[in-house]
Amino acid sequence: MDKKNALRAGALAAGTTLMMLLMSSPALALTRDDGDDPGQGLSVIETLGLYVLAPVALFVVITGLVMVLDRSKSEHRVVKPGAKA
């Protein structure tokens, strides 16, 4: 890619990013809409549990189930040369 195309691609990416930032104005989030009932916020522990621990636990459970319920035949498995089967 020559310099002109690289400059054009960079300008396009910068312009698109700038337009997205300008169009999504977070200041509008301060005004309340009719029917809003946000409730209480989450504590740090609740947030970590919901967005970190729960997905990790789900990943571990699914991985464990796949490993336990794996019924593939041993002759179909890839074994490194020199390793015991």
Side-chain angles (χ1 to χ4, degrees), residues 43-76:
S43 70
V44 173
I45 300 299
E46 290 172 332
T47 304
L48 287 175
L50 184 63
Y51 293 109
V52 176
L53 296 178
V56 169
L58 188 62
F59 175 79
V60 168
V61 167
I62 292 172
T63 303
L65 287 172
V66 168
M67 290 174 68
V68 168
L69 299 175
D70 181 24
R71 299 188 186 271
S72 61
K73 297 178 181 176
S74 61
E75 62 263 14
H76 290 244

Side-chain angles (χ1 to χ4, degrees), residues 1-69:
M1 186 180 336
D2 59 352
K3 272 186 154 181
K4 192 174 184 179
N5 283 342
L7 185 62
R8 185 179 298 155
L12 180 66
T16 304
T17 303
L18 182 63
M19 288 304 296
M20 290 299 235
L21 287 172
L22 290 174
M23 296 299 286
S24 63
S25 98
L28 294 176
L30 296 176
T31 59
R32 305 288 307 173
D33 289 333
D34 291 337
D36 278 353
D37 188 17
Q40 297 177 344
L42 296 174
S43 70
V44 173
I45 300 299
E46 290 172 332
T47 304
L48 287 175
L50 184 63
Y51 293 109
V52 176
L53 296 178
V56 169
L58 188 62
F59 175 79
V60 168
V61 167
I62 292 172
T63 303
L65 287 172
V66 168
M67 290 174 68
V68 168
L69 299 175

